[in-house]
Amino acid sequence: MGLGNFESRLERMVEGVFSRVFRSGVRPVELGRRMVREMDLKRSIGVRGKTVAPNHFVFRVSEYDYAQLDPMHESLARELRDAAREHARDESYGFVGPVTVELQVDPSLHTGTFAVTARMVEPEGGRPLGVLELPTGQRVVLGDFIVTVGRMPECTITLHDANVSRNHAEIRPSDSGFVVIDLGSTNGTKVNGQRVVERELHDGDTVTFGATTLTYVSS
């Protein structure tokens, strides 16, 4: 499941500037383990019959542990979000909204102990969000609007790739998420290596425009 990659990345992280943080108190891997356990325990069946899991996690820790974790707050939150998505893919879970992680101080907790609240939280408007991850690491959030892809500067996603057409493709919201639509491009659009004209996107799909490959992440 997703924790394997999560633990490996955290090990590399703490070998660097954060190595001094984890001599005592709450360890980040423990947060990840508890998070996926909460996903399993609180999963339910959504309105379309798909299993959905919590997507909003609040970790409460002691004042000491918060001070220790705060220098890597953003990196830790990102790794926890990625671990939740990977676990959801492994277990075929869906989310009702974007995965969010918060870290809060709870003065009632002792050093080395923590509590977590896991809930299902829909985004504003009730539509699940999606993200396209570019090779550069840039993330383009999808929503209730059309995203255009091509070489033209006017496109939402401008790709400086000679194999990409000026107006190459569109990504449109649908009832269940998002669809990619090829606009008659010269070199075509592929989803997971297969050329398509129109295709519903699913979490983890790779979408190739010309010679450029992006990754779709649901919520």
Side-chain angles (χ1 to χ4, degrees):
M1 63 180 180
L3 268 183
N5 291 333
F6 169 74
E7 292 179 359
S8 297
R9 290 193 297 265
L10 276 181
E11 285 176 1
R12 292 194 296 270
M13 184 188 301
V14 300
E15 285 173 357
V17 296
F18 300 117
S19 59
R20 69 184 186 281
V21 171
F22 307 109
R23 294 172 183 169
S24 63
V26 170
R27 298 184 62 82
V29 169
E30 295 171 355
L31 303 181
R33 289 172 178 158
R34 179 74 65 81
M35 178 185 66
V36 299
R37 189 179 308 133
E38 290 294 312
M39 291 173 64
D40 293 338
L41 290 174
K42 296 183 178 178
R43 68 188 188 275
S44 64
I45 303 300
V47 294
R48 292 187 174 87
K50 182 175 182 178
T51 302
V52 293
N55 61 299
H56 179 70
F57 304 91
V58 178
F59 293 93
R60 303 190 309 279
V61 298
S62 70
E63 294 179 353
Y64 172 85
D65 286 318
Y66 185 87
Q68 299 294 334
L69 293 169
D70 190 52
M72 60 174 294
H73 191 162
E74 291 302 320
S75 297
L76 177 59
R78 181 176 63 250
E79 295 295 343
L80 286 167
R81 290 193 298 267
D82 288 346
R85 295 188 188 105
E86 290 179 22
H87 185 65
R89 283 196 290 269
D90 291 345
E91 301 298 326
S92 298
Y93 296 161
F95 296 118
V96 299
V99 178
T100 55
V101 174
E102 296 181 25
L103 188 66
Q104 298 179 356
V105 173
D106 187 337
S108 69
L109 293 175
H110 298 292
T111 299
T113 64
F114 66 93
V116 59
T117 301
R119 298 188 295 127
M120 298 179 191
V121 177
E122 290 188 351
E124 293 183 7
R127 174 182 292 281
L129 299 179
V131 172
L132 280 177
E133 297 181 342
L134 280 66
T136 59
Q138 180 183 358
R139 294 163 62 89
V140 178
V141 176
L142 308 176
D144 285 311
F145 48 85
I146 297 173
V147 170
T148 56
V149 182
R151 291 204 326 273
M152 293 181 62
E154 295 81 7
C155 291
T156 312
I157 300 176
T158 301
L159 299 177
H160 302 289
D161 178 347
N163 296 290
V164 172
S165 297
R166 288 168 58 81
N167 288 301
H168 196 103
E170 291 180 345
I171 299 170
R172 293 175 172 264
S174 67
D175 291 339
S176 56
F178 298 91
V179 295
V180 59
I181 302 170
D182 186 82
L183 299 177
S185 64
T186 301
N187 293 305
T189 298
K190 296 179 180 179
V191 175
N192 299 328
Q194 180 179 357
R195 190 159 179 165
V196 301
V197 175
E198 181 173 336
R199 176 69 60 85
E200 186 86 23
L201 295 176
H202 302 283
D203 188 45
D205 281 349
T206 57
V207 188
T208 302
F209 306 106
T212 303
T213 297
L214 289 68
T215 302
Y216 171 74
V217 178
S218 63
S219 63

Short mmCIF file of all heavy atoms in Angstrom, two decimals, residues 87-128:
data_model
loop_
_atom_site.label_atom_id
_atom_site.label_comp_id
_atom_site.label_asym_id
_atom_site.label_seq_id
_atom_site.Cartn_x
_atom_site.Cartn_y
_atom_site.Cartn_z
N HIS A 87 -2.78 4.81 -1.00
CA HIS A 87 -3.55 3.78 -0.31
C HIS A 87 -4.94 3.66 -0.94
O HIS A 87 -5.46 2.54 -1.11
CB HIS A 87 -3.67 4.11 1.18
CG HIS A 87 -4.35 3.04 1.98
ND1 HIS A 87 -3.82 1.78 2.14
CD2 HIS A 87 -5.55 3.04 2.65
CE1 HIS A 87 -4.63 1.05 2.89
NE2 HIS A 87 -5.69 1.79 3.20
N ALA A 88 -5.53 4.79 -1.29
CA ALA A 88 -6.85 4.77 -1.92
C ALA A 88 -6.80 4.04 -3.27
O ALA A 88 -7.70 3.26 -3.60
CB ALA A 88 -7.37 6.19 -2.11
N ARG A 89 -5.73 4.29 -4.04
CA ARG A 89 -5.60 3.58 -5.32
C ARG A 89 -5.45 2.09 -5.10
O ARG A 89 -6.07 1.27 -5.80
CB ARG A 89 -4.40 4.13 -6.10
CG ARG A 89 -4.66 5.46 -6.77
CD ARG A 89 -3.62 5.77 -7.83
NE ARG A 89 -2.32 6.05 -7.24
CZ ARG A 89 -1.91 7.27 -6.91
NH1 ARG A 89 -2.71 8.31 -7.07
NH2 ARG A 89 -0.70 7.46 -6.41
N ASP A 90 -4.63 1.70 -4.11
CA ASP A 90 -4.40 0.28 -3.85
C ASP A 90 -5.68 -0.43 -3.43
O ASP A 90 -5.91 -1.60 -3.78
CB ASP A 90 -3.34 0.10 -2.76
CG ASP A 90 -1.95 0.51 -3.21
OD1 ASP A 90 -1.76 0.65 -4.43
OD2 ASP A 90 -1.07 0.71 -2.36
N GLU A 91 -6.52 0.25 -2.66
CA GLU A 91 -7.73 -0.36 -2.12
C GLU A 91 -8.99 -0.02 -2.93
O GLU A 91 -10.09 -0.42 -2.54
CB GLU A 91 -7.94 0.10 -0.66
CG GLU A 91 -6.79 -0.25 0.26
CD GLU A 91 -6.57 -1.74 0.38
OE1 GLU A 91 -7.58 -2.49 0.32
OE2 GLU A 91 -5.40 -2.17 0.54
N SER A 92 -8.82 0.71 -4.04
CA SER A 92 -9.95 1.12 -4.90
C SER A 92 -10.95 1.99 -4.14
O SER A 92 -12.16 1.88 -4.32
CB SER A 92 -10.66 -0.11 -5.50
OG SER A 92 -9.78 -0.85 -6.31
N TYR A 93 -10.43 2.88 -3.29
CA TYR A 93 -11.27 3.85 -2.60
C TYR A 93 -11.38 5.12 -3.45
O TYR A 93 -10.48 5.45 -4.23
CB TYR A 93 -10.67 4.26 -1.25
CG TYR A 93 -10.54 3.18 -0.22
CD1 TYR A 93 -9.67 3.34 0.86
CD2 TYR A 93 -11.28 2.00 -0.29
CE1 TYR A 93 -9.53 2.36 1.84
CE2 TYR A 93 -11.15 1.02 0.68
CZ TYR A 93 -10.27 1.20 1.73
OH TYR A 93 -10.14 0.23 2.70
N GLY A 94 -12.47 5.83 -3.27
CA GLY A 94 -12.63 7.15 -3.85
C GLY A 94 -12.68 8.19 -2.75
O GLY A 94 -12.77 7.87 -1.57
N PHE A 95 -12.62 9.46 -3.14
CA PHE A 95 -12.76 10.57 -2.21
C PHE A 95 -13.89 11.48 -2.68
O PHE A 95 -14.17 11.57 -3.88
CB PHE A 95 -11.47 11.40 -2.13
CG PHE A 95 -10.27 10.66 -1.59
CD1 PHE A 95 -9.15 10.47 -2.38
CD2 PHE A 95 -10.26 10.17 -0.31
CE1 PHE A 95 -8.03 9.81 -1.89
CE2 PHE A 95 -9.16 9.49 0.19
CZ PHE A 95 -8.05 9.31 -0.60
N VAL A 96 -14.53 12.17 -1.75
CA VAL A 96 -15.59 13.11 -2.11
C VAL A 96 -15.03 14.52 -2.33
O VAL A 96 -15.76 15.41 -2.75
CB VAL A 96 -16.69 13.15 -1.03
CG1 VAL A 96 -17.33 11.80 -0.86
CG2 VAL A 96 -16.14 13.67 0.30
N GLY A 97 -13.76 14.72 -2.06
CA GLY A 97 -13.14 16.02 -2.21
C GLY A 97 -11.63 15.89 -2.13
O GLY A 97 -11.10 14.78 -2.01
N PRO A 98 -10.92 16.99 -2.21
CA PRO A 98 -9.46 16.95 -2.15
C PRO A 98 -8.96 16.45 -0.80
O PRO A 98 -9.60 16.66 0.23
CB PRO A 98 -9.04 18.41 -2.39
CG PRO A 98 -10.23 19.20 -1.99
CD PRO A 98 -11.42 18.37 -2.34
N VAL A 99 -7.82 15.78 -0.81
CA VAL A 99 -7.21 15.29 0.43
C VAL A 99 -6.51 16.45 1.12
O VAL A 99 -5.69 17.15 0.52
CB VAL A 99 -6.20 14.16 0.16
CG1 VAL A 99 -5.55 13.69 1.46
CG2 VAL A 99 -6.89 12.99 -0.54
N THR A 100 -6.85 16.68 2.39
CA THR A 100 -6.25 17.76 3.17
C THR A 100 -5.73 17.21 4.49
O THR A 100 -6.32 16.28 5.06
CB THR A 100 -7.24 18.90 3.43
OG1 THR A 100 -8.41 18.37 4.07
CG2 THR A 100 -7.66 19.56 2.13
N VAL A 101 -4.65 17.81 4.98
CA VAL A 101 -4.01 17.38 6.23
C VAL A 101 -3.71 18.61 7.06
O VAL A 101 -3.13 19.58 6.56
CB VAL A 101 -2.72 16.60 5.96
CG1 VAL A 101 -2.00 16.30 7.28
CG2 VAL A 101 -3.01 15.30 5.21
N GLU A 102 -4.12 18.59 8.34
CA GLU A 102 -3.81 19.68 9.26
C GLU A 102 -3.08 19.12 10.48
O GLU A 102 -3.32 17.99 10.89
CB GLU A 102 -5.09 20.37 9.73
CG GLU A 102 -5.87 21.08 8.63
CD GLU A 102 -7.12 21.77 9.17
OE1 GLU A 102 -7.13 22.11 10.39
OE2 GLU A 102 -8.07 21.94 8.40
N LEU A 103 -2.21 19.95 11.04
CA LEU A 103 -1.49 19.61 12.27
C LEU A 103 -1.81 20.68 13.30
O LEU A 103 -1.61 21.86 13.05
CB LEU A 103 0.02 19.56 11.99
CG LEU A 103 0.91 19.04 13.12
CD1 LEU A 103 0.63 17.57 13.39
CD2 LEU A 103 2.38 19.25 12.77
N GLN A 104 -2.32 20.25 14.46
CA GLN A 104 -2.74 21.19 15.49
C GLN A 104 -2.14 20.82 16.85
O GLN A 104 -1.83 19.65 17.10
CB GLN A 104 -4.27 21.20 15.61
CG GLN A 104 -5.01 21.65 14.36
CD GLN A 104 -6.50 21.61 14.52
OE1 GLN A 104 -7.03 21.17 15.55
NE2 GLN A 104 -7.23 22.07 13.50
N VAL A 105 -2.02 21.84 17.70
CA VAL A 105 -1.55 21.62 19.07
C VAL A 105 -2.73 21.26 19.97
O VAL A 105 -3.78 21.89 19.90
CB VAL A 105 -0.86 22.89 19.62
CG1 VAL A 105 -0.52 22.71 21.10
CG2 VAL A 105 0.40 23.19 18.82
N ASP A 106 -2.53 20.25 20.79
CA ASP A 106 -3.51 19.88 21.82
C ASP A 106 -2.78 19.83 23.15
O ASP A 106 -2.05 18.88 23.43
CB ASP A 106 -4.14 18.53 21.50
CG ASP A 106 -5.29 18.18 22.44
OD1 ASP A 106 -5.33 18.74 23.55
OD2 ASP A 106 -6.14 17.35 22.06
N PRO A 107 -2.94 20.87 24.00
CA PRO A 107 -2.21 20.93 25.27
C PRO A 107 -2.50 19.76 26.20
O PRO A 107 -1.73 19.50 27.13
CB PRO A 107 -2.68 22.25 25.89
CG PRO A 107 -3.18 23.06 24.73
CD PRO A 107 -3.77 22.06 23.79
N SER A 108 -3.61 19.06 25.98
CA SER A 108 -3.97 17.95 26.87
C SER A 108 -3.17 16.68 26.57
O SER A 108 -3.19 15.73 27.36
CB SER A 108 -5.46 17.64 26.76
OG SER A 108 -5.78 17.08 25.48
N LEU A 109 -2.45 16.65 25.44
CA LEU A 109 -1.72 15.44 25.04
C LEU A 109 -0.28 15.48 25.57
O LEU A 109 0.34 16.54 25.64
CB LEU A 109 -1.69 15.31 23.53
CG LEU A 109 -3.04 15.02 22.86
CD1 LEU A 109 -2.91 15.04 21.34
CD2 LEU A 109 -3.61 13.68 23.33
N HIS A 110 0.20 14.31 25.93
CA HIS A 110 1.58 14.18 26.39
C HIS A 110 2.51 13.96 25.20
O HIS A 110 2.09 13.51 24.13
CB HIS A 110 1.71 13.00 27.37
CG HIS A 110 0.90 13.16 28.61
ND1 HIS A 110 1.18 14.10 29.57
CD2 HIS A 110 -0.20 12.47 29.05
CE1 HIS A 110 0.30 14.01 30.55
NE2 HIS A 110 -0.55 13.03 30.26
N THR A 111 3.78 14.26 25.41
CA THR A 111 4.79 14.04 24.37
C THR A 111 4.77 12.59 23.92
O THR A 111 4.71 11.67 24.74
CB THR A 111 6.18 14.39 24.90
OG1 THR A 111 6.21 15.77 25.27
CG2 THR A 111 7.25 14.14 23.85
N GLY A 112 4.79 12.39 22.60
CA GLY A 112 4.80 11.05 22.05
C GLY A 112 3.43 10.48 21.77
O GLY A 112 3.32 9.38 21.22
N THR A 113 2.38 11.19 22.16
CA THR A 113 1.02 10.73 21.87
C THR A 113 0.35 11.70 20.91
O THR A 113 0.71 12.87 20.83
CB THR A 113 0.17 10.62 23.15
OG1 THR A 113 0.01 11.93 23.71
CG2 THR A 113 0.84 9.70 24.16
N PHE A 114 -0.62 11.20 20.17
CA PHE A 114 -1.34 12.06 19.24
C PHE A 114 -2.73 11.49 19.01
O PHE A 114 -3.03 10.33 19.33
CB PHE A 114 -0.60 12.20 17.90
CG PHE A 114 -0.51 10.92 17.11
CD1 PHE A 114 -1.47 10.62 16.14
CD2 PHE A 114 0.52 10.02 17.31
CE1 PHE A 114 -1.39 9.46 15.39
CE2 PHE A 114 0.61 8.84 16.58
CZ PHE A 114 -0.36 8.56 15.61
N ALA A 115 -3.60 12.30 18.45
CA ALA A 115 -4.96 11.90 18.10
C ALA A 115 -5.24 12.37 16.68
O ALA A 115 -4.65 13.35 16.22
CB ALA A 115 -5.98 12.49 19.07
N VAL A 116 -6.12 11.67 15.98
CA VAL A 116 -6.45 12.05 14.62
C VAL A 116 -7.96 12.02 14.42
O VAL A 116 -8.64 11.14 14.93
CB VAL A 116 -5.75 11.12 13.58
CG1 VAL A 116 -6.16 9.67 13.78
CG2 VAL A 116 -6.07 11.57 12.16
N THR A 117 -8.45 13.01 13.72
CA THR A 117 -9.85 13.05 13.30
C THR A 117 -9.88 12.92 11.79
O THR A 117 -9.20 13.68 11.08
CB THR A 117 -10.52 14.37 13.71
OG1 THR A 117 -10.43 14.52 15.13
CG2 THR A 117 -11.98 14.39 13.29
N ALA A 118 -10.64 11.95 11.28
CA ALA A 118 -10.74 11.71 9.84
C ALA A 118 -12.19 11.87 9.41
O ALA A 118 -13.08 11.23 9.97
CB ALA A 118 -10.23 10.31 9.51
N ARG A 119 -12.43 12.75 8.43
CA ARG A 119 -13.79 13.02 7.97
C ARG A 119 -13.84 13.07 6.44
O ARG A 119 -12.82 13.26 5.78
CB ARG A 119 -14.30 14.35 8.53
CG ARG A 119 -14.39 14.42 10.03
CD ARG A 119 -15.09 15.69 10.48
NE ARG A 119 -14.32 16.88 10.14
CZ ARG A 119 -14.78 17.92 9.46
NH1 ARG A 119 -16.03 17.92 9.01
NH2 ARG A 119 -14.02 18.97 9.22
N MET A 120 -15.05 12.92 5.93
CA MET A 120 -15.29 13.12 4.50
C MET A 120 -15.81 14.54 4.32
O MET A 120 -16.84 14.89 4.88
CB MET A 120 -16.30 12.10 3.97
CG MET A 120 -15.83 10.66 4.11
SD MET A 120 -17.06 9.49 3.50
CE MET A 120 -16.34 7.94 4.11
N VAL A 121 -15.09 15.34 3.55
CA VAL A 121 -15.44 16.73 3.35
C VAL A 121 -15.50 17.02 1.85
O VAL A 121 -14.51 16.85 1.14
CB VAL A 121 -14.41 17.68 4.02
CG1 VAL A 121 -14.77 19.12 3.75
CG2 VAL A 121 -14.35 17.40 5.52
N GLU A 122 -16.68 17.46 1.40
CA GLU A 122 -16.84 17.81 -0.01
C GLU A 122 -16.31 19.21 -0.28
O GLU A 122 -16.36 20.08 0.60
CB GLU A 122 -18.32 17.75 -0.42
CG GLU A 122 -18.90 16.35 -0.48
CD GLU A 122 -20.29 16.35 -1.07
OE1 GLU A 122 -20.86 17.44 -1.27
OE2 GLU A 122 -20.82 15.25 -1.35
N PRO A 123 -15.81 19.46 -1.49
CA PRO A 123 -15.39 20.82 -1.84
C PRO A 123 -16.60 21.71 -2.04
O PRO A 123 -17.73 21.23 -2.13
CB PRO A 123 -14.64 20.62 -3.16
CG PRO A 123 -15.28 19.41 -3.76
CD PRO A 123 -15.62 18.51 -2.59
N GLU A 124 -16.37 23.02 -2.11
CA GLU A 124 -17.46 23.94 -2.36
C GLU A 124 -18.10 23.62 -3.71
O GLU A 124 -17.41 23.40 -4.70
CB GLU A 124 -16.95 25.38 -2.36
CG GLU A 124 -16.46 25.86 -1.00
CD GLU A 124 -16.03 27.31 -1.03
OE1 GLU A 124 -16.24 27.96 -2.08
OE2 GLU A 124 -15.48 27.78 -0.03
N GLY A 125 -19.42 23.59 -3.73
CA GLY A 125 -20.13 23.24 -4.96
C GLY A 125 -20.41 21.76 -5.08
O GLY A 125 -21.21 21.34 -5.91
N GLY A 126 -19.73 20.94 -4.25
CA GLY A 126 -20.03 19.52 -4.21
C GLY A 126 -19.37 18.69 -5.29
O GLY A 126 -19.55 17.48 -5.33
N ARG A 127 -18.59 19.29 -6.21
CA ARG A 127 -17.96 18.52 -7.28
C ARG A 127 -16.56 18.08 -6.86
O ARG A 127 -15.77 18.88 -6.40
CB ARG A 127 -17.86 19.36 -8.56
CG ARG A 127 -17.08 18.64 -9.66
CD ARG A 127 -16.94 19.50 -10.90
NE ARG A 127 -18.20 19.68 -11.56
CZ ARG A 127 -18.77 18.78 -12.34
NH1 ARG A 127 -18.16 17.62 -12.55
NH2 ARG A 127 -19.93 19.02 -12.91
N PRO A 128 -16.24 16.79 -7.06
CA PRO A 128 -14.88 16.34 -6.79
C PRO A 128 -13.87 17.09 -7.66
O PRO A 128 -14.15 17.40 -8.82
CB PRO A 128 -14.92 14.84 -7.17
CG PRO A 128 -16.36 14.47 -7.11
CD PRO A 128 -17.11 15.69 -7.51
#
